[in-house]
Amino acid sequence: MSATSHIASSSTYFDKVLETLRTSGFYWGAINADQSNRLLLQKTIGTFLVRASSNPRHLFTLSLKTARGVTHIRIIMCDGKFLLDQNVNNGNAMCCASRPTALLRFECVVKMIFYYMLVWGQRRFSSSTRSRDNGWTLCLTAPLYKEVCSLKHLSRVKLNRQFGGDGIHKMSIPPTLKSYLNRYQYPF
């Protein structure tokens, strides 16, 4: 693959990731940590938003309300996949080569957020929900939406929540509508 086609495919990939994030409704764009603190401070624990990172080495930051206040976690892109920065306390991000391969990586930021929402939903009823290393748990329960999503998107979310990918595939609806529903398969 030539350098030009690699850049073009990377740009297309990033455009798709960004469009999915924007469609989610909880991507706030270029707001800083102080602004996200103000937005989340009075919200319930587990409320979160995704914003553009103020650090030029990273694309996105997950800001969330915890029992200790608002926390900001870098979302790192490593080898074309997204993962949460594990160095929350010291602020030094490891490079891709030094990251353990056991860390979960996702092709899409929204898919990563959805995964952690599901994990929290399963863990919240267990007896051990605290992290062993630093005393806090990643608790994602409610996105803080920037704006009201379109009725078209809300309908898509409802259908995906109700029927899932396989159910939508079996529905007697036009292929263009199936394609639209499958472009955003998240129940939020």
Side-chain angles (χ1 to χ4, degrees):
M1 179 182 283
S2 72
T4 306
S5 62
H6 178 70
I7 291 169
S9 67
S10 295
S11 177
T12 304
Y13 172 73
F14 179 72
D15 290 343
K16 184 177 177 184
V17 166
L18 194 55
E19 180 57 32
T20 303
L21 251 178
R22 286 183 178 134
T23 301
S24 74
F26 58 81
Y27 177 65
W28 285 71
I31 64 170
N32 62 33
D34 290 337
Q35 291 168 310
S36 60
N37 286 345
R38 284 193 295 276
L39 289 166
L40 292 167
L41 195 58
Q42 299 303 315
K43 301 297 180 189
T44 59
I45 293 172
T47 304
F48 66 90
L49 61 88
V50 175
R51 60 185 175 85
S53 180
S54 55
N55 183 325
R57 296 183 308 152
H58 304 287
L59 298 172
F60 307 110
T61 297
L62 172 66
S63 297
L64 69 141
K65 175 68 183 279
T66 70
R68 295 181 180 177
V70 178
T71 299
H72 309 280
I73 304 171
R74 289 184 190 106
I75 298 172
I76 297 171
M77 186 173 183
C78 184
D79 298 329
K81 304 279 184 175
F82 295 94
L83 64 152
L84 294 177
D85 187 358
Q86 300 295 304
N87 295 320
V88 182
N89 294 328
N90 65 18
N92 295 325
M94 294 189 295
C95 68
C96 284
S98 63
R99 290 199 177 278
T101 55
L103 294 176
L104 294 174
R105 299 170 189 225
F106 300 84
E107 63 195 33
C108 173
V109 174
V110 176
K111 191 176 281 188
M112 179 183 70
I113 297 294
F114 180 55
Y115 170 82
Y116 286 112
M117 287 182 76
L118 285 175
V119 167
W120 172 251
Q122 293 168 356
R123 290 184 67 204
R124 96 176 114 173
F125 297 108
S126 72
S127 59
S128 175
T129 59
R130 296 188 66 130
S131 169
R132 281 178 251 144
D133 53 336
N134 59 12
W136 68 275
T137 300
L138 181 63
C139 165
L140 301 178
T141 57
L144 180 62
Y145 293 105
K146 182 177 181 180
E147 55 198 29
V148 177
C149 296
S150 70
L151 182 57
K152 182 169 101 171
H153 177 68
L154 292 173
S155 299
R156 171 170 56 183
V157 167
K158 179 64 176 173
L159 287 169
N160 274 300
R161 187 180 299 150
Q162 186 73 31
F163 299 106
D166 289 338
I168 288 171
H169 178 69
K170 294 176 185 175
M171 293 173 79
S172 298
I173 57 176
T176 53
L177 184 53
K178 284 183 187 179
S179 175
Y180 173 75
L181 294 172
N182 285 321
R183 279 195 304 265
Y184 188 90
Q185 299 180 358
Y186 311 103
F188 57 87

